[in-house]
Amino acid sequence: MADNKSIIQIGMIGFGNVGQGVYRLLEKNRSLIESKIGAQMRIKRIVVRDLNKVRDVIVPEGMLTTNFDDVLNDPEIDIVLELMGGYCDGQ
């Protein structure tokens, strides 16, 4: 890695079926991913539409937010994963 970061911080936008699946995969494969990238991986914040929605995946307290700026403008977040569902017809 160019800047030799010891922790790569990740922000996620969207935590529906796809977002929760990605979260599970990242957590399940954490050791393998960290060994390949040579750094620890930390999911820092996740943007959701509704904080009160019941989800299959439980995340640490304070990780969920409804404010995009909490992810997009956080200088500590190195990678942003956009995982929102929906259909866009280009209009």
Side-chain angles (χ1 to χ4, degrees), residues 32-90:
L32 177 63
I33 294 168
E34 289 178 346
S35 71
K36 289 191 180 282
I37 65 174
Q40 293 179 18
M41 176 184 69
R42 176 176 172 231
I43 299 171
K44 184 174 182 185
R45 295 301 296 258
I46 302 171
V47 178
V48 297
R49 189 177 311 170
D50 180 0
L51 292 173
N52 298 313
K53 180 179 178 180
V54 177
R55 295 175 173 83
D56 295 333
V57 175
I58 306 300
V59 298
E61 182 82 26
M63 185 178 285
L64 300 180
T65 180
T66 58
N67 187 345
F68 284 88
D69 289 333
D70 290 343
V71 169
L72 298 178
N73 294 326
D74 184 335
E76 293 182 350
I77 292 180
D78 302 296
I79 298 170
V80 175
L81 305 176
E82 186 276 309
L83 303 162
M84 295 185 312
Y87 172 75
C88 177
D89 64 5

